Amino acid sequence: MVAMADGMAPPSFFLSSLDPGVGKTTALINFAQHLLRSDQHKDVAVLLCFSRLEEIIRLVDEMGLNEADFAVHTSDDEVNQLSTTLPDEARVLLTTHAMVMSKCRCSNFKEAEGLRYQGEVRAVRIWDEAMLPGEVASISTDQLAALRDPLRLSYPPLAELIGRLERQLEVSGGKGTLMWPDVAEDTGISCRSARAGVGQRQATYLDNIYALSGRRVLLRKPNPAASVIAALNTRDAIPDDMAPVVILDASGRIRSTYDLWERNAGNLTRLRSGVRMCQNLKVQVMYRGSGKDAWRKNGEVLAQELASLINSKPDEEWLVVYHKGVNSGAIPDQVKGLLSSNPDRVSFLNWGKHQGTNEFRHIKNVILAGMNNHPQTDYEMKARYYGGIGDDQDVCMAHVKQMEAGEHMHHILQAICRSAVRQGIGAMCGPCNAYIIAPKRSGIRDNLPKVFPGCKVSTWHPTTKRKATGKVGAALLYVATHFTDRPEVVLMFTELQSALEISNSSNFRNSIRRNETYKAGLETLGVEEVTIGNYRHRNALAMKPKPFGPVEGASYIINV
């Protein structure tokens, strides 16, 4: 920051990935205050960029600057009134990521209107939280269909083009590529004109339709089971001439976007960092689907799991991070309605607002009631953009999975660090208990030690048992019958596999032994997998040995 103020910083994106709670924001506040008092830097101005309006409001309060020294430039007129100073006249300008990207969409940074100080580019540029220089532009068949009728009367040529594009996407089956037309040139209608007659959501769809103009787009299904088809490409969101800029993002050490950016673009510089040790953090993971679809289908069961856990500590405060867009945002009310103690001790924070805030830093119990998932196509497009993979090249699925894992780790770090984890002394985090619901295939449990070095990871056992059906139900019934009749006799896998009429051991392993309901059923029956004979792997089931204790019916206990 000093190098930028002195005009000595090279044109690079400088990433500071210090963990949450270490003091990045405090350092920023003190730097800005000292800069304004420095006689050697009277003409040096600062641009501060934040992800959320709430962070701007908080920082204005914490910085304690004179109103003449700062201005706020956002899309919210009420927030802008935090200062009456015009942006061009304020040494410190606070704005949002979205505003900067909007200003730079059709120009480079140095030409962007509304971000300069007395006509000159601000020398000190700070970007708080994640910076993604590339963004995914996409439009689906459903979104195209939602635009046809609103545009049919006011802009018939545009409505006709949209209908034609929708049919082309449907015919593709979600495979291959398509040369997207230049929408403005083909229809004679600008994006700004078309936006004027539709709602905000539809205006966003139009932005993407125009953003894809003249580009070869990939055609994909957002996920294999989806009926809709999307056209996708990427676009630059941050121009290179915004450098030098300092990025304050704790996720910098775990997010794949930065790794690929550093490797392929060459203009990202990592600043010295330090990682907090997390021996004071205990994380329990429940293997269960917890995305938006899972909450729609099994919301009652999931809400009961959260309530049972919260009820187990009736005198403590809790923070729950949840999906706001499910059932009209009803998850908080679902959970509160099941609590047997004061519901006011439970705070709820939805995904999308899980970064930046310090409001919950005193809370020692936090639940991630689901993961902040994105369509697989988003992970693919990010892997392509940051990996420099062209639209005419195949992308390695390992790179897509790496991108997905990095995004999951980023969201987990940011969400859990809203709690008491961000407190602590020196290199040690504050005491905290975290609980995560996630499917096993996500690999989240294996990545937790990377996100929180030294943390203790264990299993969060569900209180509501899943009903075993099909082959799994038949397997548990066979096991229960066997050990009821012959509790001392082991049950070989081959016998159980044969009884279930499963063709080979691989299918038996994948469909039965790895099934979470089956494993929970064995636990309930008091049965475990064992190795019989000269085998390297487990090949049978046996009753668990009873723990050593007093002999039933004995009149005394020997003190050994």
Side-chain angles (χ1 to χ4, degrees):
M1 291 189 287
V2 172
M4 284 192 290
D6 291 339
M8 302 295 291
S12 187
F13 292 83
F14 295 95
L15 173 62
S16 173
S17 54
L18 292 167
D19 277 358
V22 170
K24 297 187 298 295
T25 304
T26 301
L28 167 60
I29 291 171
N30 281 274
F31 171 80
Q33 291 171 338
H34 282 278
L35 181 71
L36 293 174
R37 293 196 295 264
S38 172
D39 292 334
Q40 291 78 33
H41 300 89
K42 289 184 177 180
D43 297 324
V44 176
V46 182
L47 178 66
L48 304 179
C49 311
F50 299 89
S51 59
R52 299 166 55 234
L53 296 174
E54 292 87 346
E55 287 307 293
I56 292 177
I57 296 170
R58 180 175 68 87
L59 203 72
V60 166
D61 180 61
E62 292 183 5
M63 292 179 80
L65 302 180
N66 293 324
E67 189 174 330
D69 288 330
F70 79 94
V72 179
H73 184 34
T74 72
S75 60
D76 190 304
D77 292 336
E78 186 175 346
V79 175
N80 293 344
Q81 291 304 311
L82 290 169
S83 172
T84 57
T85 304
L86 297 175
D88 189 65
E89 298 174 3
R91 294 273 304 280
V92 177
L93 178 63
L94 298 95
T95 188
T96 61
H97 298 173
M99 179 62 72
V100 173
M101 290 188 288
S102 174
K103 296 286 185 182
C104 296
R105 187 150 288 161
C106 299
S107 64
N108 58 35
F109 175 74
K110 292 178 180 176
E111 295 173 351
E113 296 291 335
L115 303 178
R116 294 193 286 267
Y117 171 63
Q118 296 183 351
E120 300 294 329
V121 175
R122 295 173 183 271
V124 180
R125 277 113 54 183
I126 313 294
W127 190 277
D128 192 52
E129 302 296 351
M131 175 180 277
L132 298 176
E135 62 182 358
V136 178
S138 69
I139 189 76
S140 73
T141 46
D142 283 356
Q143 292 166 348
L144 289 168
L147 286 169
R148 283 199 316 268
D149 289 342
L151 295 171
R152 196 179 302 281
L153 291 177
S154 52
Y155 297 108
L158 182 56
E160 183 180 341
L161 176 62
I162 286 172
R164 189 161 64 248
L165 289 169
E166 181 187 353
R167 290 190 293 274
Q168 287 179 288
L169 264 61
E170 288 173 343
V171 169
S172 75
K175 297 178 181 179
T177 63
L178 173 68
M179 193 64 196
W180 202 258
D182 188 316
V183 181
E185 184 176 309
D186 286 8
T187 63
I189 302 165
S190 69
C191 183
R192 177 174 293 183
S193 298
R195 283 173 54 99
V198 299
Q200 183 58 48
R201 183 184 293 270
Q202 293 160 327
T204 302
Y205 299 161
L206 282 168
D207 285 343
N208 286 332
I209 289 174
Y210 279 82
L212 296 173
S213 287
R215 308 181 71 180
R216 183 163 294 281
V217 299
L218 294 172
L219 304 177
R220 296 285 188 273
K221 289 186 175 184
N223 60 70
S227 59
V228 299
I229 296 167
L232 307 106
N233 208 309
T234 55
R235 60 184 175 188
D236 294 334
I238 303 294
D240 285 343
D241 74 330
M242 189 172 181
V245 58
V246 171
I247 306 166
L248 305 177
D249 185 9
S251 297
R253 64 180 174 83
I254 55 176
R255 205 170 185 182
S256 298
T257 51
Y258 292 114
D259 293 336
L260 293 172
W261 180 1
E262 181 181 23
R263 187 184 312 154
N264 293 294
N267 61 351
L268 180 76
T269 301
R270 292 181 181 269
L271 303 179
R272 289 183 61 189
S273 187
V275 181
R276 269 191 161 170
M277 298 307 295
C278 297
Q279 282 88 343
N280 291 331
L281 172 64
K282 299 177 181 178
V283 188
Q284 294 187 33
V285 181
M286 180 190 296
Y287 286 143
R288 179 168 282 183
S290 56
K292 291 181 180 179
D293 286 343
W295 269 96
R296 292 187 185 100
K297 295 175 183 176
N298 305 306
E300 292 183 6
V301 173
L302 293 169
Q304 184 61 63
E305 293 292 356
L306 267 63
S308 296
L309 180 63
I310 294 169
N311 284 333
S312 70
K313 299 180 182 180
D315 300 320
E316 298 184 24
E317 290 190 65
W318 291 78
L319 172 64
V320 178
V321 183
Y322 73 103
H323 298 294
K324 184 178 181 180
V326 174
N327 301 333
S328 302
I331 291 177
D333 290 336
Q334 269 186 296
V335 175
K336 287 182 177 180
L338 296 168
L339 296 180
S340 59
S341 51
N342 180 17
D344 294 336
R345 63 194 175 87
V346 185
S347 299
F348 291 84
L349 185 68
N350 64 275
W351 290 113
K353 292 192 173 182
H354 62 289
Q355 302 181 81
T357 179
N358 294 325
E359 182 180 352
F360 310 104
R361 63 181 181 270
H362 63 288
I363 296 179
K364 297 182 179 181
N365 301 289
V366 57
I367 303 173
L368 306 193
M371 297 312 304
N372 193 22
N373 298 316
H374 296 279
Q376 283 296 309
T377 48
D378 277 14
Y379 300 129
E380 177 188 348
M381 297 311 294
K382 285 180 179 178
R384 286 182 177 278
Y385 181 90
Y386 291 98
I389 302 170
D391 299 335
D392 58 343
Q393 298 174 280
D394 290 332
V395 60
C396 175
M397 283 308 298
H399 292 163
V400 178
K401 289 297 181 183
Q402 179 186 358
M403 181 63 64
E404 181 179 4
E407 295 302 279
H408 278 152
M409 288 190 286
H410 153 64
H411 291 302
I412 290 171
L413 174 69
Q414 295 293 338
I416 290 181
C417 283
R418 297 312 104 208
S419 67
V421 168
R422 66 185 301 110
Q423 306 280 57
I425 300 175
M428 188 65 67
C429 78
C432 186
N433 299 293
Y435 306 85
I436 302 174
I437 307 177
K440 186 174 183 179
R441 65 179 179 275
S442 68
I444 284 170
R445 179 167 179 161
D446 294 335
N447 286 326
L448 285 171
K450 182 177 179 181
V451 183
F452 302 107
C455 71
K456 301 175 180 66
V457 183
S458 59
T459 300
W460 173 10
H461 294 287
T463 57
T464 54
K465 304 298 183 184
R466 297 183 186 180
K467 184 178 179 180
T469 59
K471 294 279 189 183
V472 172
L476 290 173
L477 178 61
Y478 192 94
V479 172
T481 302
H482 173 91
F483 286 109
T484 299
D485 297 339
R486 297 172 292 169
E488 304 299 326
V489 179
V490 299
L491 173 61
M492 303 302 295
F493 286 170
T494 51
E495 179 185 340
L496 181 56
Q497 179 183 322
S498 176
L500 297 173
E501 298 181 347
I502 294 177
S503 59
N504 58 62
S505 57
S506 178
N507 288 340
F508 177 69
R509 180 175 60 253
N510 292 329
S511 63
I512 303 297
R513 292 180 58 204
R514 290 180 176 174
N515 184 279
E516 293 301 319
T517 303
Y518 170 77
K519 290 191 283 187
L522 293 185
E523 185 75 23
T524 301
L525 293 171
V527 174
E528 64 181 354
E529 293 189 346
V530 296
T531 301
I532 300 297
N534 296 321
Y535 286 85
R536 294 173 58 190
H537 306 290
R538 289 168 293 182
N539 61 350
L541 295 170
M543 293 294 294
K544 290 182 179 180
K546 293 183 179 180
F548 179 80
V551 177
E552 186 176 352
S555 59
Y556 62 90
I557 299 173
I558 299 175
N559 184 13
V560 181

